[in-house]
mmCIF file of all heavy atoms in Angstrom:
data_model
loop_
_atom_site.group_PDB
_atom_site.id
_atom_site.type_symbol
_atom_site.label_atom_id
_atom_site.label_comp_id
_atom_site.label_asym_id
_atom_site.label_seq_id
_atom_site.Cartn_x
_atom_site.Cartn_y
_atom_site.Cartn_z
ATOM 1 N N ILE A 1 -48.231 47.292 -121.501
ATOM 2 C CA ILE A 1 -48.670 48.620 -121.888
ATOM 3 C C ILE A 1 -47.713 49.186 -122.934
ATOM 4 O O ILE A 1 -48.129 50.092 -123.688
ATOM 5 C CB ILE A 1 -48.833 49.496 -120.663
ATOM 6 C CG1 ILE A 1 -49.998 49.067 -119.812
ATOM 7 C CG2 ILE A 1 -48.872 50.934 -120.970
ATOM 8 C CD1 ILE A 1 -50.158 49.797 -118.574
ATOM 9 N N THR A 2 -46.503 48.652 -123.071
ATOM 10 C CA THR A 2 -45.577 49.195 -124.011
ATOM 11 C C THR A 2 -46.045 48.952 -125.484
ATOM 12 O O THR A 2 -45.530 49.539 -126.465
ATOM 13 C CB THR A 2 -44.166 48.593 -123.865
ATOM 14 O OG1 THR A 2 -44.229 47.124 -124.004
ATOM 15 C CG2 THR A 2 -43.608 48.976 -122.548
ATOM 16 N N VAL A 3 -47.100 48.049 -125.635
ATOM 17 C CA VAL A 3 -47.609 47.910 -126.964
ATOM 18 C C VAL A 3 -48.186 49.129 -127.557
ATOM 19 O O VAL A 3 -48.289 49.321 -128.730
ATOM 20 C CB VAL A 3 -48.680 46.718 -127.057
ATOM 21 C CG1 VAL A 3 -48.113 45.417 -126.557
ATOM 22 C CG2 VAL A 3 -49.930 47.083 -126.261
ATOM 23 N N PHE A 4 -48.670 50.061 -126.632
ATOM 24 C CA PHE A 4 -49.137 51.329 -127.082
ATOM 25 C C PHE A 4 -48.084 52.334 -127.273
ATOM 26 O O PHE A 4 -48.282 53.355 -128.030
ATOM 27 C CB PHE A 4 -50.161 51.825 -126.012
ATOM 28 C CG PHE A 4 -51.227 50.861 -125.639
ATOM 29 C CD1 PHE A 4 -51.517 50.612 -124.301
ATOM 30 C CD2 PHE A 4 -51.981 50.200 -126.640
ATOM 31 C CE1 PHE A 4 -52.466 49.707 -123.939
ATOM 32 C CE2 PHE A 4 -52.965 49.250 -126.263
ATOM 33 C CZ PHE A 4 -53.185 49.022 -124.893
ATOM 34 N N ILE A 5 -46.883 52.130 -126.655
ATOM 35 C CA ILE A 5 -45.843 53.107 -126.706
ATOM 36 C C ILE A 5 -44.979 52.831 -128.034
ATOM 37 O O ILE A 5 -44.628 53.784 -128.729
ATOM 38 C CB ILE A 5 -44.921 52.988 -125.531
ATOM 39 C CG1 ILE A 5 -45.702 53.256 -124.221
ATOM 40 C CG2 ILE A 5 -43.811 54.044 -125.608
ATOM 41 C CD1 ILE A 5 -44.929 52.933 -122.984
ATOM 42 N N SER A 6 -44.651 51.641 -128.261
ATOM 43 C CA SER A 6 -43.630 51.325 -129.303
ATOM 44 C C SER A 6 -44.063 51.772 -130.619
ATOM 45 O O SER A 6 -43.198 52.385 -131.363
ATOM 46 C CB SER A 6 -43.479 49.772 -129.362
ATOM 47 O OG SER A 6 -42.908 49.350 -128.075
ATOM 48 N N PRO A 7 -45.301 51.588 -131.120
ATOM 49 C CA PRO A 7 -45.620 52.096 -132.481
ATOM 50 C C PRO A 7 -45.544 53.594 -132.587
ATOM 51 O O PRO A 7 -45.138 54.119 -133.635
ATOM 52 C CB PRO A 7 -47.004 51.633 -132.757
ATOM 53 C CG PRO A 7 -47.587 51.316 -131.349
ATOM 54 C CD PRO A 7 -46.428 50.874 -130.525
ATOM 55 N N ILE A 8 -45.902 54.335 -131.503
ATOM 56 C CA ILE A 8 -45.752 55.751 -131.545
ATOM 57 C C ILE A 8 -44.297 56.195 -131.655
ATOM 58 O O ILE A 8 -43.953 57.044 -132.379
ATOM 59 C CB ILE A 8 -46.387 56.355 -130.214
ATOM 60 C CG1 ILE A 8 -47.888 56.076 -130.186
ATOM 61 C CG2 ILE A 8 -46.076 57.820 -130.100
ATOM 62 C CD1 ILE A 8 -48.584 56.413 -128.858
ATOM 63 N N GLY A 9 -43.411 55.530 -130.872
ATOM 64 C CA GLY A 9 -41.994 55.808 -130.948
ATOM 65 C C GLY A 9 -41.370 55.524 -132.264
ATOM 66 O O GLY A 9 -40.375 56.060 -132.658
ATOM 67 N N THR A 10 -41.935 54.541 -132.912
ATOM 68 C CA THR A 10 -41.423 54.080 -134.232
ATOM 69 C C THR A 10 -41.794 55.036 -135.339
ATOM 70 O O THR A 10 -40.953 55.347 -136.266
ATOM 71 C CB THR A 10 -41.895 52.680 -134.559
ATOM 72 O OG1 THR A 10 -41.499 51.751 -133.496
ATOM 73 C CG2 THR A 10 -41.370 52.160 -135.854
ATOM 74 N N VAL A 11 -43.041 55.496 -135.356
ATOM 75 C CA VAL A 11 -43.508 56.274 -136.475
ATOM 76 C C VAL A 11 -43.546 57.735 -136.312
ATOM 77 O O VAL A 11 -43.219 58.512 -137.191
ATOM 78 C CB VAL A 11 -44.987 55.740 -136.830
ATOM 79 C CG1 VAL A 11 -45.598 56.576 -138.005
ATOM 80 C CG2 VAL A 11 -45.008 54.272 -137.125
ATOM 81 N N LEU A 12 -43.877 58.170 -135.103
ATOM 82 C CA LEU A 12 -44.133 59.647 -134.841
ATOM 83 C C LEU A 12 -42.917 60.504 -135.115
ATOM 84 O O LEU A 12 -43.123 61.596 -135.720
ATOM 85 C CB LEU A 12 -44.609 59.785 -133.403
ATOM 86 C CG LEU A 12 -44.942 61.247 -132.962
ATOM 87 C CD1 LEU A 12 -46.104 61.813 -133.771
ATOM 88 C CD2 LEU A 12 -45.258 61.274 -131.468
ATOM 89 N N PRO A 13 -41.712 60.179 -134.718
ATOM 90 C CA PRO A 13 -40.601 61.066 -134.857
ATOM 91 C C PRO A 13 -40.357 61.508 -136.342
ATOM 92 O O PRO A 13 -39.967 62.638 -136.662
ATOM 93 C CB PRO A 13 -39.382 60.283 -134.377
ATOM 94 C CG PRO A 13 -39.959 59.337 -133.376
ATOM 95 C CD PRO A 13 -41.249 58.977 -133.944
ATOM 96 N N ILE A 14 -40.550 60.629 -137.307
ATOM 97 C CA ILE A 14 -40.319 60.876 -138.707
ATOM 98 C C ILE A 14 -41.264 62.047 -139.184
ATOM 99 O O ILE A 14 -40.720 63.012 -139.827
ATOM 100 C CB ILE A 14 -40.574 59.663 -139.553
ATOM 101 C CG1 ILE A 14 -39.838 58.366 -139.086
ATOM 102 C CG2 ILE A 14 -40.292 59.971 -141.037
ATOM 103 C CD1 ILE A 14 -38.344 58.590 -139.077
ATOM 104 N N THR A 15 -42.494 62.042 -138.770
ATOM 105 C CA THR A 15 -43.428 63.050 -139.132
ATOM 106 C C THR A 15 -43.071 64.338 -138.433
ATOM 107 O O THR A 15 -43.139 65.466 -139.003
ATOM 108 C CB THR A 15 -44.862 62.636 -138.832
ATOM 109 O OG1 THR A 15 -45.197 61.369 -139.483
ATOM 110 C CG2 THR A 15 -45.881 63.681 -139.212
ATOM 111 N N LEU A 16 -42.752 64.257 -137.152
ATOM 112 C CA LEU A 16 -42.441 65.487 -136.407
ATOM 113 C C LEU A 16 -41.174 66.186 -136.974
ATOM 114 O O LEU A 16 -41.171 67.406 -137.049
ATOM 115 C CB LEU A 16 -42.186 65.134 -134.877
ATOM 116 C CG LEU A 16 -43.413 64.675 -134.139
ATOM 117 C CD1 LEU A 16 -43.034 64.253 -132.700
ATOM 118 C CD2 LEU A 16 -44.443 65.771 -134.005
ATOM 119 N N TYR A 17 -40.176 65.350 -137.331
ATOM 120 C CA TYR A 17 -38.947 65.979 -137.943
ATOM 121 C C TYR A 17 -39.299 66.805 -139.158
ATOM 122 O O TYR A 17 -38.763 67.941 -139.342
ATOM 123 C CB TYR A 17 -37.969 64.902 -138.279
ATOM 124 C CG TYR A 17 -37.296 64.189 -137.106
ATOM 125 C CD1 TYR A 17 -36.845 62.859 -137.272
ATOM 126 C CD2 TYR A 17 -37.225 64.730 -135.856
ATOM 127 C CE1 TYR A 17 -36.332 62.194 -136.233
ATOM 128 C CE2 TYR A 17 -36.701 64.076 -134.751
ATOM 129 C CZ TYR A 17 -36.243 62.814 -134.970
ATOM 130 O OH TYR A 17 -35.665 62.131 -133.912
ATOM 131 N N ARG A 18 -40.234 66.259 -139.915
ATOM 132 C CA ARG A 18 -40.537 66.916 -141.159
ATOM 133 C C ARG A 18 -41.285 68.216 -140.961
ATOM 134 O O ARG A 18 -41.029 69.251 -141.585
ATOM 135 C CB ARG A 18 -41.400 65.976 -142.079
ATOM 136 C CG ARG A 18 -41.666 66.484 -143.474
ATOM 137 C CD ARG A 18 -42.161 65.494 -144.379
ATOM 138 N NE ARG A 18 -43.418 64.866 -144.004
ATOM 139 C CZ ARG A 18 -43.545 63.636 -143.509
ATOM 140 N NH1 ARG A 18 -42.455 62.856 -143.360
ATOM 141 N NH2 ARG A 18 -44.739 63.131 -143.156
ATOM 142 N N TYR A 19 -42.269 68.191 -140.035
ATOM 143 C CA TYR A 19 -42.949 69.421 -139.658
ATOM 144 C C TYR A 19 -42.022 70.453 -139.102
ATOM 145 O O TYR A 19 -42.030 71.660 -139.475
ATOM 146 C CB TYR A 19 -44.090 69.141 -138.627
ATOM 147 C CG TYR A 19 -45.335 68.559 -139.190
ATOM 148 C CD1 TYR A 19 -45.989 67.559 -138.572
ATOM 149 C CD2 TYR A 19 -45.933 69.185 -140.322
ATOM 150 C CE1 TYR A 19 -47.144 66.988 -139.074
ATOM 151 C CE2 TYR A 19 -47.154 68.652 -140.843
ATOM 152 C CZ TYR A 19 -47.704 67.580 -140.232
ATOM 153 O OH TYR A 19 -48.934 67.086 -140.713
ATOM 154 N N TYR A 20 -41.176 70.068 -138.157
ATOM 155 C CA TYR A 20 -40.317 70.959 -137.434
ATOM 156 C C TYR A 20 -39.296 71.643 -138.379
ATOM 157 O O TYR A 20 -39.082 72.870 -138.408
ATOM 158 C CB TYR A 20 -39.598 70.245 -136.348
ATOM 159 C CG TYR A 20 -38.770 71.245 -135.441
ATOM 160 C CD1 TYR A 20 -39.403 71.851 -134.330
ATOM 161 C CD2 TYR A 20 -37.406 71.404 -135.624
ATOM 162 C CE1 TYR A 20 -38.648 72.720 -133.540
ATOM 163 C CE2 TYR A 20 -36.699 72.200 -134.804
ATOM 164 C CZ TYR A 20 -37.290 72.840 -133.751
ATOM 165 O OH TYR A 20 -36.568 73.710 -132.918
ATOM 166 N N ASP A 21 -38.700 70.814 -139.301
ATOM 167 C CA ASP A 21 -37.774 71.333 -140.229
ATOM 168 C C ASP A 21 -38.332 72.299 -141.284
ATOM 169 O O ASP A 21 -37.643 73.128 -141.786
ATOM 170 C CB ASP A 21 -37.055 70.155 -141.000
ATOM 171 C CG ASP A 21 -36.116 69.347 -140.051
ATOM 172 O OD1 ASP A 21 -35.796 69.853 -139.012
ATOM 173 O OD2 ASP A 21 -35.838 68.196 -140.461
ATOM 174 N N CYS A 22 -39.702 72.186 -141.419
ATOM 175 C CA CYS A 22 -40.376 73.105 -142.300
ATOM 176 C C CYS A 22 -40.881 74.330 -141.522
ATOM 177 O O CYS A 22 -41.532 75.222 -142.146
ATOM 178 C CB CYS A 22 -41.561 72.449 -142.986
ATOM 179 S SG CYS A 22 -41.104 71.159 -144.177
ATOM 180 N N GLY A 23 -40.698 74.390 -140.230
ATOM 181 C CA GLY A 23 -41.144 75.539 -139.413
ATOM 182 C C GLY A 23 -42.514 75.477 -139.065
ATOM 183 O O GLY A 23 -43.110 76.463 -138.495
ATOM 184 N N ASP A 24 -43.258 74.362 -139.174
ATOM 185 C CA ASP A 24 -44.662 74.225 -138.809
ATOM 186 C C ASP A 24 -44.771 73.789 -137.361
ATOM 187 O O ASP A 24 -45.130 72.619 -137.102
ATOM 188 C CB ASP A 24 -45.323 73.241 -139.780
ATOM 189 C CG ASP A 24 -46.873 73.278 -139.664
ATOM 190 O OD1 ASP A 24 -47.324 73.989 -138.728
ATOM 191 O OD2 ASP A 24 -47.517 72.543 -140.418
ATOM 192 N N ILE A 25 -44.546 74.676 -136.442
ATOM 193 C CA ILE A 25 -44.522 74.338 -135.035
ATOM 194 C C ILE A 25 -45.920 74.011 -134.488
ATOM 195 O O ILE A 25 -46.138 73.137 -133.694
ATOM 196 C CB ILE A 25 -43.922 75.531 -134.162
ATOM 197 C CG1 ILE A 25 -42.574 75.871 -134.681
ATOM 198 C CG2 ILE A 25 -43.841 75.090 -132.705
ATOM 199 C CD1 ILE A 25 -41.562 74.709 -134.686
ATOM 200 N N LYS A 26 -46.954 74.688 -135.084
ATOM 201 C CA LYS A 26 -48.318 74.430 -134.608
ATOM 202 C C LYS A 26 -48.768 72.980 -134.907
ATOM 203 O O LYS A 26 -49.421 72.357 -134.034
ATOM 204 C CB LYS A 26 -49.308 75.404 -135.371
ATOM 205 C CG LYS A 26 -49.154 76.840 -134.887
ATOM 206 C CD LYS A 26 -49.705 76.998 -133.505
ATOM 207 C CE LYS A 26 -49.624 78.483 -133.098
ATOM 208 N NZ LYS A 26 -50.038 78.670 -131.668
ATOM 209 N N SER A 27 -48.289 72.468 -135.986
ATOM 210 C CA SER A 27 -48.673 71.019 -136.285
ATOM 211 C C SER A 27 -47.933 70.062 -135.291
ATOM 212 O O SER A 27 -48.511 69.083 -134.935
ATOM 213 C CB SER A 27 -48.305 70.735 -137.747
ATOM 214 O OG SER A 27 -49.194 71.400 -138.639
ATOM 215 N N VAL A 28 -46.701 70.449 -134.968
ATOM 216 C CA VAL A 28 -45.945 69.622 -134.032
ATOM 217 C C VAL A 28 -46.696 69.623 -132.680
ATOM 218 O O VAL A 28 -46.867 68.506 -132.016
ATOM 219 C CB VAL A 28 -44.529 70.177 -133.842
ATOM 220 C CG1 VAL A 28 -43.817 69.432 -132.712
ATOM 221 C CG2 VAL A 28 -43.767 70.034 -135.214
ATOM 222 N N GLU A 29 -47.126 70.768 -132.233
ATOM 223 C CA GLU A 29 -47.768 70.864 -130.928
ATOM 224 C C GLU A 29 -49.090 70.044 -130.931
ATOM 225 O O GLU A 29 -49.398 69.352 -130.007
ATOM 226 C CB GLU A 29 -48.114 72.385 -130.594
ATOM 227 C CG GLU A 29 -46.839 73.146 -130.328
ATOM 228 C CD GLU A 29 -47.129 74.646 -130.141
ATOM 229 O OE1 GLU A 29 -48.354 75.081 -130.390
ATOM 230 O OE2 GLU A 29 -46.248 75.382 -129.837
ATOM 231 N N LYS A 30 -49.869 70.232 -132.037
ATOM 232 C CA LYS A 30 -51.182 69.563 -132.189
ATOM 233 C C LYS A 30 -50.975 68.046 -132.199
ATOM 234 O O LYS A 30 -51.721 67.275 -131.543
ATOM 235 C CB LYS A 30 -51.899 70.042 -133.394
ATOM 236 C CG LYS A 30 -53.259 69.441 -133.583
ATOM 237 C CD LYS A 30 -53.952 70.079 -134.825
ATOM 238 C CE LYS A 30 -55.357 69.496 -134.975
ATOM 239 N NZ LYS A 30 -56.051 70.118 -136.176
#
């Protein structure tokens, strides 16, 4: 089942950091 977890953990944080640092909390939540 980790095949579904690993790609999320690899890619998702980069996008979240960018949204959060720009103050776009709604996009982070969504």
